[in-house]
Amino acid sequence: MPITLSPRQRQHLKGLAHPLEPVVHVGAAGVSEAVVRVLGETLLRHELIKVKLPKLDDASAREALANEITLASGAALVQLLGRVLILYTPRAKDLPGKPRIQLPAA
């Protein structure tokens, strides 16, 4: 089931992501099995990440790539700004430890 965020929650996550650096870089080859695996592992550890997209001439191609990454990772799209994509996945309840990010009420 896809994660849905309210505008208030999305704004909160944008503020938390502002100081972060991209931890996953997608190359010119696009979304491969290795990229999806790394995205999953990184989202499990961090919950909120930035992804750097390759240089594309067309904004619609960038949006299509962002949607493909979002669907493949199962994360919520927080923001796509230029070549930087912000993704969020809440920590699974069966993992040890509490979620690091507490979202405001919708």
Side-chain angles (χ1 to χ4, degrees):
M1 184 170 97
I3 302 164
T4 56
L5 299 170
S6 70
R8 184 175 180 197
Q9 291 170 334
R10 194 176 307 278
Q11 193 65 33
H12 177 73
L13 291 171
K14 285 181 196 179
L16 293 175
H18 182 74
L20 300 178
E21 293 293 323
V23 291
V24 177
H25 295 265
V26 178
V31 182
S32 65
E33 190 175 307
V35 170
V36 172
R37 185 177 61 250
V38 169
L39 279 170
E41 293 169 1
T42 308
L43 281 165
L44 277 176
R45 270 186 271 135
H46 298 285
E47 291 182 83
L48 183 68
I49 63 169
K50 282 186 176 179
V51 178
K52 187 77 168 200
L53 301 177
K55 289 183 181 177
L56 299 171
D57 296 333
D58 190 6
S60 62
R62 223 179 4 253
E63 289 176 13
L65 182 60
N67 288 333
E68 184 180 351
I69 291 170
T70 303
L71 289 174
S73 67
L77 174 64
V78 176
Q79 184 179 31
L80 172 60
L81 185 62
R83 292 177 46 210
V84 178
L85 175 67
I86 302 173
L87 298 175
Y88 169 73
T89 299
R91 183 179 295 272
K93 296 193 186 312
D94 59 343
L95 290 177
K98 295 194 295 191
R100 286 183 240 170
I101 298 175
Q102 298 295 325
L103 290 178

